[in-house]
Amino acid sequence: MTAAAPPAVEVRALVREFKGGIRAVDGLDLEVRNGEIYGFLGPNGAGKTTVVRILTTLLRPTSGQALVAGHDVVSEGDAVRRSIGVALQEAAIDPLMTGRELLRMQGALHGLRGAEARERAAQLLDRVGLTEAGDRRVGGYSGGMRRRLDLALALVHRPHVLFLDEPTTGLDPTSRAALWREVRALHEDGTTVFLTTQYLEEAEQLADRVGIIARGNLVAEGTPESLKARVGEPTIHIEVADAESTGRARAALAGLGRLEPESASAPTRVALRNGAGKAAIAPVIRALDEHDVVVEFVEVETPTLDDVFVAVTGAHLEGAGAPEGAPA
């Protein structure tokens, strides 16, 4: 019987202290499953960057254990580095080299030679949409092109785990959408992605599970849907034609969820909490129609990851939501 593969990332009782007794990471436990996209969120100073630096062997832990692809980050650092790809927010790239040259050089560093290195460079340029720009100097690349090249460089050796550090910060909506597509494609290929981001919408769109870190430890973890369910149910807001219809509307909806108290400031508005969210709209409309209630409009308000973030950390994430025009 074949033994089960170890988790992509496994952290137990991890501690990192800095001078002055400051604990940036305080007994952290964390597990990332193989093949998933794990969104890692935290406010400034929460310990997020320190954790990522430890997992990528750039920083030694004070105590505890961290395994990546089954290898200990302290005693098996070389094996960890062979198993991971890392695209940092501020990658050092020689602006005088072309994208193709950089990819070939990266391939050589990982043992690829001659035709194999050239073929891998061509494959990755095509994958990230940079074939036409592959022979141009990187100094002339846009921000979005540089981030896509960062991603290609991190993929040269086909890593088991890919660490992406805020990959779309500062990108325009088109470049952001292109990078999202690449992350989803990697996920479909079975690559494990450890994603740090300041955009809650990005985590919600991409991540299978989300971990929120504050004060050096996880304060919440789960799928985006399960985390939002902890904060509250979706609310269906119904605007009826006139105040006289409100009573009939409330009577019609009484069995479909939990009605919010009436509001004197909005006499034609009825609010119904229902865990089904958008799926409950059709039954709501049917019930109102059966009671001859004329509906002006219906909208569904659902808890967001920002609501979750505020509930567990007491503050909004700096990049709550996504920049204007972000892809849906």
Side-chain angles (χ1 to χ4, degrees):
M1 185 175 180
T2 304
V9 176
E10 188 174 8
V11 173
R12 295 289 176 261
L14 192 68
V15 173
R16 173 63 200 199
E17 290 185 350
F18 291 98
K19 289 183 178 179
I22 298 172
R23 281 200 170 196
V25 183
D26 189 11
L28 176 72
D29 292 323
L30 174 70
E31 185 173 300
V32 178
R33 302 162 188 158
N34 285 296
E36 76 173 340
I37 300 178
Y38 188 86
F40 199 46
L41 307 175
N44 287 337
K48 178 175 80 266
T49 300
T50 302
V51 171
V52 172
R53 292 180 66 194
I54 290 172
L55 295 178
T56 55
T57 74
L58 297 175
L59 187 68
R60 293 175 68 93
T62 302
S63 63
Q65 186 179 44
L67 305 176
V68 178
H71 304 294
D72 188 280
V73 298
V74 175
S75 61
E76 301 174 281
D78 287 343
V80 171
R81 287 186 285 273
R82 287 193 296 270
S83 301
I84 65 173
V86 184
L88 300 177
Q89 190 174 356
E90 296 297 334
I93 296 179
D94 186 343
L96 299 180
M97 295 182 70
T98 69
R100 194 180 306 275
E101 288 170 342
L102 282 165
L103 284 165
R104 288 180 182 174
M105 183 177 71
Q106 186 81 340
L109 292 173
H110 287 284
L112 303 182
R113 294 290 181 267
E116 187 180 12
R118 291 193 296 273
E119 181 181 356
R120 185 61 177 155
Q123 288 174 349
L124 290 169
L125 286 171
D126 179 65
R127 173 158 202 167
V128 299
L130 291 176
T131 297
E132 293 184 3
D135 295 310
R136 287 164 44 191
R137 290 184 177 182
V138 173
Y141 281 16
S142 68
M145 294 167 70
R146 289 176 65 93
R147 292 318 305 255
R148 281 184 281 152
L149 179 61
D150 290 344
L151 179 59
L153 290 166
L155 295 174
V156 165
H157 58 303
R158 296 178 176 86
H160 179 65
V161 184
L162 177 64
F163 289 87
L164 298 179
D165 180 27
E166 300 189 6
T168 64
T169 297
L171 296 190
D172 61 85
T174 301
S175 298
R176 185 173 298 110
L179 205 117
W180 283 13
R181 285 194 297 271
E182 289 307 319
V183 173
R184 291 189 180 106
L186 289 167
H187 181 236
E188 291 171 1
D189 289 345
T191 303
T192 304
V193 180
F194 192 100
L195 169 74
T196 70
T197 179
Q198 62 174 318
Y199 299 133
L200 293 171
E201 184 185 359
E202 184 160 88
E204 187 163 356
Q205 288 281 338
L206 296 177
D208 298 305
R209 288 190 303 138
V210 171
I212 299 176
I213 185 173
R215 299 171 295 279
N217 220 321
L218 278 186
V219 292
E221 186 181 51
T223 65
E225 293 74 20
S226 68
L227 289 175
K228 289 185 289 184
R230 287 171 51 179
V231 177
E233 293 181 314
T235 302
I236 303 172
H237 296 280
I238 304 106
E239 184 79 23
V240 299
D242 52 63
E244 294 178 358
S245 303
T246 303
R248 295 202 310 277
R250 295 181 68 85
L253 301 175
L256 295 179
R258 180 163 58 86
L259 286 163
E260 294 286 281
E262 294 185 49
S263 172
S265 61
T268 58
R269 179 68 64 93
V270 179
L272 177 76
R273 288 191 177 272
N274 184 301
K278 292 180 180 179
I281 290 178
V284 164
I285 296 298
R286 283 198 298 269
L288 292 170
D289 185 58
E290 290 170 1
H291 284 71
D292 298 321
V293 177
V294 177
V295 177
E296 296 293 334
F297 72 84
V298 177
E299 63 181 4
V300 180
E301 178 188 7
T302 60
T304 66
L305 279 181
D306 188 41
D307 296 325
V308 176
F309 201 87
V310 172
V312 298
T313 70
H316 292 275
L317 191 63
E318 289 80 0
E324 184 179 350

